[in-house]
DNA sequence: GTGGTCTAGACCACG
DNA sequence: GTGGTCTAGACCACT
């Protein structure tokens, strides 16, 4: 269900947070779907339950999930909101990188090619 | 000469590396220009000399500078190469981010707007 | 009869306690009205009977209900007392919060506005 | 410097977060003031360093502090912003409580008295 | 020395 | 059984 890369420099709990966030954004996990329990996922991934707990706490604080003591953790309802949030982040990043690239001599044509934009005249998306 | 932001979460040595790299890329520092000595820069920025040394070592490892024993550190000649290296990095990042954004529903029009591309062609989206 | 919100962070038994307390305070449930049996309410709400039992025990401890062995639980007679008790709690909370707000620079006008008090008197603030 | 109440039901790390937040809001701790180190505070309060670390992480995430690896944690600059944030919280709480109190029969006069508002005709704040 | 992450194991409240 | 908190001790990167 989740892929953890131990060689990745990013902390494990962050990879778990990202993983579930992606699953929620892409609607693979629909609202009110129950996540695996802290202990179960810990065993499954051979990771300390504390680390899983930290990831779940973070997910709840970000509004991706909600949890009920004694019952479990569940995907939150606002899936589309997450999409918008992520898109806003992407916009900020892309704008910044494009600005730097342009300062280094990149042309519009290069940028369009990098982003694989269909630049036919009245072109839509096939 | 260099701007260090102590509140930045990035380590100081990395900020120094980035700073000199940018100066070299933008040709503010031309090839064979001598960098300030470790001790001098340490005093100037009120930073531990160890941190400066680490940055200089990193800069040399990346090929941005070269050093001569007993003389000091100097900007390398391959300024344009640095540009290309950085552009390659930017291309990889932008392509990846654009791909994700498109999967989340971003349209070509949105991407073009984010990158502030001059729309020379009148192509819209149906 | 009762509304349970599974996404609420508050434990279910507390929501039940609050629910019956509100019904008693607002006189929807008059004194000596019998509460549903533990088993019946458990089935009705699809909740573990242990949880209901805990709520009922808590209600009795707080004096909202009384119970007779073999008969069931009933609303206590002191409905107005509950009102006064709750009002006393509210007074304590409001006084404390108002004090803190004032220390942070809130003016009387702001406080009145927050509480939506009808300004019968034309007193403003210089 | 900080007061921890072990009998308080609130978790220790939250008490620490609140404590430093209050000190920052009330300008007892001015921007860029260094907080005690994780280990030092842990010894001082006889609390596990992990718990302190959790509090410090939370403080940083809330924007109350910023931290530099290898140097320490420091109070953030936006002291007035914190005030506004807290006031918004207080407004929400007071409005809600006042609403409930009114439903239970509290009069404007009672509310004004609870909040110790000077309700003289043109009264300001002495 | 500093903050940040992780493991191991315990206890609690809740269902 | 569940999530949430805490302790104890370790390792890492950074200054």
């Amino acid at each position: 269900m989740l892929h953890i890369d131990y060689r990745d420099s990013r902390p494990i709990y962050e990879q778990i947070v990202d993983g579930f966030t992606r699953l929620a954004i892409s609607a693979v996990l629909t609202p009110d779907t129950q996540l695996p329990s802290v202990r179960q996922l810990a065993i499954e991934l051979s990771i300390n339950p504390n680390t899983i707990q930290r990831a779940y706490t973070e997910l709840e604080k970000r509004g991706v999930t909600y949890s009920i003591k004694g019952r479990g953790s569940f995907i939150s309802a606002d899936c589309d909101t997450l999409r918008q949030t992520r898109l806003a982040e992407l916009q900020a990043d892309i704008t910044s990188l494009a600005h730097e690239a342009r300062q280094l001599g990149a042309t519009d044509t290069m940028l369009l090619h990098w982003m694989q934009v269909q630049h036919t005249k009245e072109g839509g998306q096939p």
Side-chain angles (χ1 to χ4, degrees), chain A:
Chain A
M1 203 160 188
L2 277 186
H3 177 64
I4 302 299
D5 182 3
Y6 288 95
R7 296 166 305 178
D8 195 329
S9 67
R10 293 185 320 167
I12 293 175
Y13 80 93
E14 200 176 307
Q15 294 187 43
I16 296 174
V17 168
D18 271 25
F20 279 117
T21 304
R22 284 174 190 279
L23 290 174
I25 284 183
S26 59
V28 172
L29 293 182
T30 51
D32 299 321
T33 303
Q34 183 163 8
L35 273 62
S37 82
V38 171
R39 291 160 176 79
Q40 183 188 335
L41 189 58
I43 294 172
E44 207 171 294
L45 300 177
S46 301
I47 284 177
N48 189 294
N50 240 326
T51 305
I52 308 291
Q53 176 68 51
R54 181 168 183 182
Y56 277 27
T57 303
E58 185 66 25
L59 279 167
E60 188 174 359
K61 204 147 36 191
R62 292 195 193 175
V64 180
T65 63
Y66 63 93
S67 68
I68 307 173
K69 272 189 186 176
R71 300 210 13 144
S73 293
F74 307 84
I75 296 291
S76 244
D78 44 5
C79 162
D80 282 334
T81 305
L82 293 173
R83 248 203 192 84
Q84 293 308 317
T85 305
R86 181 66 184 139
L87 273 175
E89 285 177 18
L90 288 170
Q91 173 175 9
D93 290 350
I94 289 178
T95 301
S96 167
L97 293 177
H99 180 70
E100 185 184 348
R102 204 171 271 117
Q103 281 193 325
L104 259 53
T107 62
D108 280 1
T109 307
M110 287 167 68
L111 288 174
L112 292 179
H113 184 246
W114 292 354
M115 301 203 316
Q116 302 166 353
V117 168
Q118 307 301 327
H119 44 312
T120 57
K121 270 197 173 174
E122 280 86 20
Q125 281 163 322

